[in-house]
Amino acid sequence: MAALLILALLGAGCVSETPVIPPEESHGEVGIMYTAAGQMPVLLSTGQIDGYMVWQPFVSVATASGIGKVVSFSQDLPPAGTWTDHTCCALSGREDYIKANSDVVNAIAALLILSGDYIQENPDRTAEISANWLFGGGDMTFGDVTISSNDVLKGSIPTIRFSSVPSTEWLQSNDRFIEALRDIGYLTGSLKDAPSEDVREMLYDFSNYEAARAMVDAGEIKTPQKLTKPLSLGYLPSDHDAPLFVAIKDWEYFNEKFGIALKPRVNVPGKVDVADLIVNGVTVAEVKLVQGEGGAQLMTLMATDALQMAYAGTPPTISAIDKGTAIKILFPTQNEGSGLVVAASAPVTDWDSFIAWIDARSAEGTPLKIAAPIRGSIQDVQIKYALQDSGVVVKEV
């Protein structure tokens, strides 16, 4: 029932001013503004927006700095239970690349499985590494407020559910997003009218995950043949990609314990641009790490073979496959990990009081302005659905 309701509400399209299903009670109006995630805390602290819906660590940035507070984490948005364990980032690869270099892809998959497991047992170390990668481990300043990036990440990491298992729940969450993307007109190619029994075959290839999991369980990683060309791997500046950061920054641990590592060419604070994939003491590949600003950008680079693998959200990957990009989703890397934030001064403590604030501001003639990432992102779909389900008029501004 929840999935059907999502489809009906989103079927109006992202720019609809009224829900498809008339709510029992009508409320006010909210403007959705699209902007880069990293700009959102500054916009909130300077009063240019009233809140934002975004991925971590920018939710934690607001709470740790005192400029904002959390209305709801993504998995708790209404209706209750709709977004529990919802899909987020996954590892994907070009079909031609994973076919020609399956042993290398298997090794990288094995390392990310291991580093994902490591995170669950070492959240504080993961926070330290992620703060180092994303912010150089230094302080962050917003107006007259200065906060430790390490404190920000310590608040963020526990809100993300790291898992590499392509579970039934994860697959069903992707199914819901596929139907939503169809209804709002984002799927116009191969997935638009594909039978449901064919969609998963078009989207996924779990063979590399299965081979990697078998090696991890056996405690022995197979050494691939050396590559003659570098591998370019795209990722996003978010602690959702912490398994990649941990694998590189703590490469000595993984090399000693499991015989596999991504060793940085240069050991410097902050992000790493080039690393060597080492398996059982053999350097088998040069890996170029390409930071993108959004999943759609990484998919464009995948389409032109500027990237051979990418760490990005499943919805932009699904959209790229729909457009004919020959890539496959290999396995999930984490779920959940986003949230709705409003200004600290807002008269809001939960979703109901948020709706009441929307009504009051609309009555004053100054509707709330909420920032979201790129149109069609997980966060965009979730906040619009929750608002429309509550009878709020949603406009893009």
Side-chain angles (χ1 to χ4, degrees):
M1 180 64 70
L4 293 175
L5 183 58
I6 291 172
L7 305 187
L9 289 167
L10 291 176
C14 286
V15 296
S16 173
E17 296 189 4
T18 55
V20 171
I21 300 177
E24 295 181 1
E25 182 179 1
S26 180
H27 289 283
E29 175 184 313
V30 165
I32 300 294
M33 182 182 78
Y34 298 116
T35 187
Q39 296 177 355
M40 293 181 186
V42 174
L43 294 174
L44 185 65
S45 67
T46 55
Q48 298 179 68
I49 58 175
D50 300 291
Y52 57 77
M53 176 75 190
V54 74
W55 51 73
Q56 289 285 26
F58 299 104
V59 177
S60 185
V61 164
T63 56
S65 65
I67 64 175
K69 54 188 173 183
V70 176
V71 176
S72 175
F73 285 102
S74 52
Q75 64 269 22
D76 299 322
L77 285 169
T82 300
W83 301 110
T84 301
D85 196 29
H86 70 79
T87 184
C88 196
C89 289
L91 185 69
S92 60
R94 284 179 56 92
E95 290 186 33
D96 55 358
Y97 190 84
I98 59 180
K99 181 178 180 180
N101 304 279
S102 60
D103 285 351
V104 169
V105 177
N106 293 346
I108 290 174
L111 179 56
L112 292 178
I113 290 171
L114 290 166
S115 60
D117 292 343
Y118 175 90
I119 286 174
Q120 298 179 48
E121 298 177 2
N122 301 276
D124 286 349
R125 175 58 179 160
T126 300
E128 179 185 352
I129 289 172
S130 297
N132 177 280
W133 188 292
L134 296 170
F135 308 110
D139 291 338
M140 307 167 68
T141 301
F142 301 96
D144 58 355
V145 176
T146 299
I147 55 174
S148 161
S149 60
N150 195 40
D151 288 344
V152 168
L153 272 298
K154 281 185 177 181
S156 172
I157 292 296
T159 70
I160 306 170
R161 206 175 74 80
F162 293 97
S163 173
S164 59
V165 179
S167 66
T168 299
E169 292 78 12
W170 178 78
L171 289 167
Q172 290 173 344
S173 180
N174 284 329
D175 291 343
R176 289 198 296 271
F177 270 100
I178 290 165
E179 293 303 318
L181 290 168
R182 280 174 172 168
D183 275 19
I184 61 179
Y186 285 0
L187 297 183
T188 58
S190 61
L191 295 174
K192 180 177 182 293
D193 300 311
S196 57
E197 61 269 20
D198 295 341
V199 169
R200 290 187 179 182
E201 184 176 349
M202 298 167 70
L203 293 178
Y204 310 114
D205 182 351
F206 297 138
S207 60
N208 299 103
Y209 168 79
E210 291 164 355
R213 173 58 67 182
M215 291 192 295
V216 168
D217 291 345
E220 184 176 354
I221 310 299
K222 178 182 176 181
T223 305
Q225 289 188 337
K226 292 184 180 182
L227 297 184
T228 58
K229 295 181 179 180
L231 161 63
S232 292
L233 172 62
Y235 71 95
L236 299 175
S238 166
D239 54 358
H240 288 193
D241 292 13
L244 178 64
F245 307 156
V246 166
I248 294 171
K249 291 291 186 176
D250 264 1
W251 71 270
E252 291 173 304
Y253 167 82
F254 292 98
N255 189 51
E256 179 178 341
K257 187 171 180 65
F258 303 108
I260 185 170
L262 273 172
K263 179 183 178 181
R265 287 277 178 91
V266 180
N267 187 19
V268 295
K271 67 179 183 179
V272 172
D273 295 324
V274 183
D276 290 315
L277 177 63
I278 302 172
V279 184
N280 299 319
V282 178
T283 301
V284 298
E286 175 185 325
V287 180
K288 294 184 177 180
L289 300 152
V290 181
Q291 178 179 293
E293 292 303 320
Q297 179 194 23
L298 294 182
M299 293 304 108
T300 298
L301 295 174
M302 290 271 277
T304 61
D305 200 23
L307 296 177
Q308 289 74 53
M309 299 181 71
Y311 217 131
T314 51
T317 309
I318 290 167
S319 295
I321 293 172
D322 175 66
K323 293 179 175 66
T325 304
I327 59 179
K328 283 287 193 289
I329 297 172
L330 305 182
F331 60 92
T333 52
Q334 53 79 221
N335 303 322
E336 302 181 347
S338 298
L340 172 62
V341 169
V342 294
S345 60
V348 173
T349 56
D350 56 15
W351 183 260
D352 289 342
S353 57
F354 176 61
I355 297 299
W357 190 37
I358 290 172
D359 291 345
R361 285 284 298 271
S362 296
E364 295 170 0
T366 55
L368 296 184
K369 185 183 294 183
I370 304 296
I374 189 169
R375 192 171 186 261
S377 65
I378 293 170
Q379 296 76 20
D380 177 43
V381 172
Q382 288 178 324
I383 186 60
K384 284 178 175 174
Y385 166 53
L387 289 169
Q388 291 189 82
D389 177 72
S390 297
V392 175
V393 175
V394 178
K395 295 183 177 180
E396 293 181 359
V397 297

